[in-house]
Amino acid sequence: MDDLFSDAVQQLLSAQCTPQVVRAIEAGGAHAALWQQLEDAGFADALVPESAGGAGLGLADVQGVLMQCGAHALPLPLGETLLARGLLAAAGVARPTGAITLAEASAASSAGGGALRCANVRLGAVADWVLVARLDPLGKGACRLLPTASAERLPAGFCLDATLQWPASAWDAATPVPGTHDLRTLQAALYAAQIAGALMAVFTRTLQYANERQQFGKPIGKFQAIQHQLAVISEHCFAARMAAQLGLRAPGVQPERLRAAVAKARTSEAALEVAALAHSIHGAIGFTAEFDLQLYTRRLHNWRQAAGSESYWHDVVGQALLGRNDALSLDLLRAVTDVA
């Protein structure tokens, strides 16, 4: 089922989410038609039970779908919507139509007058809803679904991200989502998978460029220095893919925190290295806006920081190691990977 679903997503995005379409949406163009095709195909309801009209897949089954979102630089929150609808279904909350993204709001982020403010909401400029976890200083809190239509949208760092602010009354009127949901861990597993997909796209494009670009009468890929860089990129890409798969190995719709930590830390590390090496191989052309490479490497840098960079998740893994009685790295690794 995973292969069938991811293959279907790959076919649709290859045809409908071309670099030209990505550029147009990034520039503020219409995105409703592309989203409607994704909606009609049922991809956003992959984690929703079949009894509720979804595909009834598990978290590990959608890894290929999330990777395809990264591999095509999809400028819409399909991954976020897929995971959010899974959470809503598990909580017994009716899922709304439209795209959903994820955000956190701490007590310190409340603006004057009690307004609720979420900074740097990923794809907040093209989302219809935001699943917001509002945390208190102790890290506890509640989760509610808020419409972006009632929020003030301000530009954020990445072109499709936004800082959203609602009046205080919006939180009280929003739909509660029962249960305890760790949205940061959920986002970490999501972005790890999307990074893995984008890394493979960068690797494929860089390998093709190295085989086509001629210098001194032969492809630059024939030079040992370039071959070494390509080998390093390959190592990072396949290690990141394995880590992303690990991050989504969970029985329900909520990833396990330690596995997600390993996945996000490893893929974020790879994002930094692969982006630098790919641009090095492409030379000056790779940095131009007209060249497609930047559509992927900009996202690699954005997703690397989203939901915590590698240093944040390394701390999580380190704390887990120190908290174990045996305190052996190999035992922790076996526990995370289920290797006997």
Side-chain angles (χ1 to χ4, degrees):
M1 178 62 79
D2 177 24
D3 290 339
L4 291 175
F5 231 69
S6 59
D7 287 348
V9 173
Q10 191 273 334
Q11 292 176 16
L12 190 152
L13 293 182
S14 293
Q16 304 299 331
C17 187
T18 63
Q20 292 74 21
V21 171
V22 175
R23 285 185 171 88
I25 294 177
E26 286 187 347
H31 61 272
L34 177 57
W35 177 257
Q36 193 59 53
Q37 292 183 70
L38 296 169
E39 188 83 79
D40 292 344
F43 299 136
D45 292 324
L47 294 180
V48 176
E50 293 184 70
S51 59
L57 300 182
L59 194 61
D61 299 322
V62 299
Q63 180 255 343
V65 176
L66 301 181
M67 282 189 62
Q68 289 299 326
C69 293
H72 291 85
L74 179 64
L76 298 174
L78 174 60
E80 287 87 346
T81 303
L82 186 156
L83 296 175
R85 289 187 180 180
L87 286 179
L88 293 175
V93 177
R95 62 190 187 278
T97 58
I100 308 172
T101 190
L102 310 171
E104 289 183 352
S106 65
S109 68
S110 295
L116 181 69
R117 186 173 186 268
C118 295
N120 297 318
V121 178
R122 308 297 164 185
L123 295 171
V126 290
D128 301 297
W129 300 86
V130 185
L131 187 61
V132 179
R134 191 174 190 179
L135 308 177
D136 59 25
L138 298 177
K140 299 179 180 180
C143 195
R144 298 195 176 191
L145 190 64
L146 286 86
T148 58
S150 62
E152 178 186 4
R153 300 195 200 198
L154 302 173
F158 195 70
C159 58
L160 295 175
D161 295 347
T163 292
L164 302 177
Q165 182 170 301
W166 292 266
S169 58
W171 177 260
D172 296 330
T175 302
V177 180
T180 302
H181 306 300
D182 183 358
L183 293 191
R184 174 161 293 197
T185 298
L186 190 69
Q187 287 177 297
L190 163 65
Y191 296 128
Q194 292 186 167
I195 287 173
L199 287 171
M200 294 302 296
V202 169
F203 176 47
T204 301
R205 290 170 177 270
T206 303
L207 183 61
Q208 179 181 356
Y209 179 82
N211 287 328
E212 294 175 351
R213 176 74 167 88
Q214 297 280 328
Q215 189 68 35
F216 303 113
K218 61 181 180 180
I220 63 173
K222 296 295 184 179
F223 293 100
Q224 188 173 18
I226 300 298
Q227 291 176 347
H228 172 73
Q229 290 178 312
L230 289 170
V232 173
I233 290 176
S234 176
E235 291 171 359
H236 279 295
C237 288
F238 285 97
R241 188 173 72 175
M242 293 176 64
Q245 291 173 335
L246 179 67
L248 291 168
R249 286 176 59 186
V253 295
Q254 179 66 50
E256 296 180 4
R257 183 168 175 80
L258 187 55
R259 285 177 172 168
V262 172
K264 186 57 165 65
R266 185 62 186 90
T267 55
S268 290
E269 279 185 337
L272 194 62
E273 295 295 329
V274 170
L277 289 170
H279 278 289
S280 175
I281 292 173
H282 279 85
I285 191 174
F287 289 91
T288 63
E290 294 79 11
F291 203 71
D292 292 344
L293 181 64
Q294 52 84 20
L295 297 176
Y296 303 92
T297 55
R298 285 191 295 112
R299 282 170 170 79
L300 287 178
H301 287 298
N302 186 35
W303 293 333
R304 174 193 167 230
Q305 296 286 349
S309 67
E310 63 270 27
S311 61
Y312 174 90
W313 291 105
H314 281 153
D315 286 345
V316 173
V317 176
Q319 290 169 8
L321 176 61
L322 294 175
R324 292 176 62 90
N325 293 330
D326 46 45
L328 294 177
S329 300
L330 183 57
D331 290 330
L332 178 65
L333 183 61
R334 285 172 172 162
V336 171
T337 59
D338 289 335
V339 176

